[in-house]
Amino acid sequence: MLKKLAVSILAAAFSILLCSSCGGSATKETPLEQTGFVMGSFVEQTIYPKGDLAQEAAKEVTTRLTKMEQLISWRIQDSDIAKINQNAGGQEVAIDALTFTLLQTAKGVAINSGGAYNPAILPLSMLWNVDDEAFIPPERQLVEGLLASIDSGKLVLDEEKQTAVMTLEGGAIDLGGIGKGAACDEALKIYQEKNIPGAIIAVGGSVGVHGTKANGKPWSIGVRDPKKSQDTALGQILLEKGCVSTSGIYEKGQEIDGVYYHHIIDSATGFPADSDLVSATVVHDSGAISDALATACIVLGREGALPLLEQYGAGAVLIDQNNTIYLVGDMKSSFELASGDYHIAQ
Amino acid sequence: MVKEKRRLFSGKDVLIAVAAIGAAVALYFVNAGEKAGTAVIERDGEILYRVNFSTLSQPVTYKIDGEYPAEVIAEPNGIYFASASCPDQSCVHMGKLRKTGEIAVCLPARLVIRIEGENKSSSTDAMTG
């Protein structure tokens, strides 16, 4: 009888211990969570610890990202990019320093990737308009007719004057391919300025991390399973700093007459990219660069992507059509696979 | 006859102890993900409604106006987009949110429903993809 009592007390003490430890650490780690929308994407900020400083930083991020959208969205009349597009083939346009820096970054990745990432693809992506409900594949002739209008080399930037001009008439710039990553960069700058101990921001599929969580563990970022719903991860990346972006052909795709069409257009052919990769997750200190490189990887395929990733010192998780995962750079030690449907290439 | 020395704990006792501790551990993990206290319905990051699950005895419907009107239903054990007039319907397909940290987003309507709380059920801090 006594023994049974002793056992029960032991078990009760153990369960109390478990519960008290979970309660204590959770209070210390409570973050502020702030949601919002920018550039057609969902924004989620998680800032540690919850309080006035976190609130102030979250608000500042929301304000700065909205301002950024006003500058770089081609859809917004009077944005810097809209002005460049309206003046294509004509006059130089004076632009904000942020727009200028982003155009420089975009042009750099365009050159280094041989056009696999192309900030001047807008005329063609508008023709495709894959995410339209009433999507019909365009005629080959129309597609090929636009190949001459998507040359990002015709975007001329003048650093001294802070101006830009698309010298090609009918040409048009779209920074959507780096906008989400660039939004993460802006947020991280603000967290730094405000001395926030730890914060993570997700803008669409791009994520940026700053500082550390209260428990000192690295941030854990789930990599979406290309074959499952949006909130299902196939594994996770452990990240201490920088940004992660993912491009995948599973997004905004449509199947018509047995052919799968997706939104990542290959500038070389004018058609949706047809490489061995279905998803590319790229890690880099710069969110804008990680975003642009992720798109470039899908177009280039694994073999073509490797030298580009190496040039930028970027880590990557590349997934091909046979459910094989290729880990590049840092990701060899920072990625943990959690799904049995995939295997990591040795 | 030599009487066998009695040990403080017999095999059976250890079994009971292990079972009790096991139950405590299981209870802890179940609780961690399901401490659904409150949910929020937000538009553009501003909270429209805060729902306290413990005060609900029957479903409550929240009608949300706007360019894409939506209907959110809160029940004692969860909250979900019952309908939305957006084209993609992915918010409705998310189904019922039950656990802390779960979230459903309607991008066209700029609406979010999420369950607040300290112990997130998800092991990741964010998703990429």
Side-chain angles (χ1 to χ4, degrees):
Chain A
M1 192 61 199
L2 259 177
K3 285 181 302 171
K4 276 191 183 147
L5 195 68
V7 168
S8 309
I9 289 168
L10 194 77
F14 194 73
S15 52
I16 288 165
L17 189 81
L18 267 172
C19 280
S20 63
S21 70
C22 79
S25 63
T27 316
K28 235 187 339 189
E29 283 175 34
T30 304
L32 169 79
E33 296 194 34
Q34 176 70 52
T35 63
F37 295 86
V38 72
M39 292 180 281
S41 297
F42 176 53
V43 180
E44 195 175 15
Q45 302 185 61
T46 307
I47 307 174
Y48 293 83
K50 196 174 187 166
D52 289 347
L53 185 65
Q55 195 80 52
E56 200 185 299
K59 211 176 150 191
E60 172 95 26
V61 167
T62 305
T63 308
R64 189 133 17 140
L65 296 193
T66 307
K67 190 186 157 209
M68 183 177 158
E69 179 175 20
Q70 300 293 327
L71 290 172
I72 71 162
S73 170
W74 62 268
R75 292 182 177 85
I76 295 177
Q77 216 185 353
D78 292 334
S79 76
D80 281 350
I81 301 300
K83 281 189 222 158
I84 293 171
N85 292 348
Q86 281 151 21
N87 287 287
Q91 290 295 307
E92 295 164 334
V93 177
I95 52 175
D96 188 272
L98 176 62
T99 316
F100 191 89
T101 310
L102 289 178
L103 284 172
Q104 259 182 334
T105 304
K107 237 195 126 167
V109 182
I111 292 167
N112 292 326
S113 68
Y117 162 72
N118 183 356
I121 203 157
L122 187 59
L124 198 52
S125 50
M126 278 176 85
L127 173 70
W128 277 97
N129 201 11
V130 176
D131 32 351
D132 194 80
E133 265 181 286
F135 168 73
I136 303 165
E139 305 261 336
R140 177 171 286 273
Q141 214 180 340
L142 285 174
V143 171
E144 287 172 352
L146 279 178
L147 287 178
S149 306
I150 57 164
D151 182 1
S152 67
K154 297 285 181 352
L155 171 69
V156 179
L157 303 174
D158 187 326
E159 184 147 27
E160 211 167 292
K161 290 195 278 179
Q162 294 280 299
T163 58
V165 58
M166 183 65 189
T167 58
L168 191 65
E169 210 180 323
I173 301 297
D174 175 6
L175 286 181
I178 64 167
K180 297 176 191 80
C184 292
D185 291 335
E186 284 303 298
L188 296 189
K189 272 187 228 163
I190 291 165
Y191 300 144
Q192 184 77 40
E193 283 164 21
K194 303 255 177 215
N195 283 318
I196 296 292
I200 182 164
I201 181 161
V203 182
S206 288
V207 179
V209 304
H210 164 83
T212 53
K213 288 189 277 184
N215 63 12
K217 283 187 196 158
W219 302 97
S220 152
I221 295 150
V223 177
R224 181 178 165 184
D225 186 331
K227 296 199 172 83
K228 301 226 170 99
S229 70
Q230 219 167 350
D231 57 342
T232 309
L234 60 77
Q236 59 174 348
I237 289 172
L238 300 175
L239 199 65
E240 281 173 355
K241 64 180 182 76
C243 296
V244 184
S245 297
T246 299
S247 278
I249 64 167
Y250 48 82
E251 222 182 332
K252 300 177 192 165
Q254 300 207 36
E255 195 173 309
I256 292 187
D257 296 334
V259 182
Y260 181 68
Y261 297 93
H262 60 82
H263 75 295
I264 303 173
I265 308 295
D266 183 345
S267 294
T269 62
F271 282 77
D274 186 21
S275 76
D276 54 342
L277 299 180
V278 293
S279 166
T281 298
V282 177
V283 180
H284 195 273
D285 282 346
S286 155
I289 289 176
S290 75
D291 209 352
L293 289 179
T295 306
C297 289
I298 294 290
V299 172
L300 292 169
R302 185 174 66 92
E303 291 278 325
L306 293 176
L308 180 67
L309 291 166
E310 196 180 345
Q311 186 181 355
Y312 279 92
V317 178
L318 308 175
I319 306 169
D320 79 2
Q321 283 162 345
N322 303 318
N323 299 347
T324 306
I325 297 177
Y326 297 89
L327 301 176
V328 181
D330 290 355
M331 291 304 106
K332 284 176 185 153
S333 55
S334 307
F335 175 77
E336 291 172 358
L337 180 62
S339 163
D341 298 341
Y342 296 83
H343 61 276
I344 295 172
Q346 294 307 316
Chain B
M1 205 169 88
V2 179
K3 199 179 168 187
E4 201 182 322
K5 196 182 168 190
R6 286 187 62 179
R7 286 171 298 171
L8 181 58
F9 296 112
S10 71
K12 198 175 148 200
D13 293 335
V14 172
L15 208 69
I16 293 169
V18 167
I21 291 167
V25 170
L27 206 68
Y28 163 70
F29 279 109
V30 167
N31 276 339
E34 287 191 3
K35 231 166 139 186
T38 54
V40 286
I41 304 172
E42 299 169 314
R43 173 156 49 205
D44 269 324
E46 302 285 332
I47 295 172
L48 301 177
Y49 302 100
R50 180 170 261 122
V51 183
N52 189 340
F53 289 110
S54 66
T55 62
L56 296 179
S57 52
Q58 56 188 24
V60 177
T61 304
Y62 296 88
K63 286 186 195 295
I64 300 152
D65 299 333
E67 195 185 343
Y68 299 98
E71 224 173 65
V72 173
I73 296 181
E75 292 176 353
N77 67 346
I79 187 164
Y80 59 97
F81 277 101
S83 68
S85 53
C86 61
D88 62 359
Q89 297 288 303
S90 68
C91 54
V92 175
H93 295 151
M94 280 299 292
K96 198 191 277 187
L97 313 182
R98 300 163 195 269
K99 293 179 184 172
T100 304
E102 284 189 329
I103 191 163
V105 178
C106 183
L107 210 51
R110 299 164 86 93
L111 287 172
V112 174
I113 54 175
R114 60 188 176 90
I115 298 185
E116 292 185 310
E118 291 171 359
N119 298 314
K120 274 200 175 189
S121 59
S122 161
S123 61
T124 57
D125 297 304
M127 282 287 285
T128 183

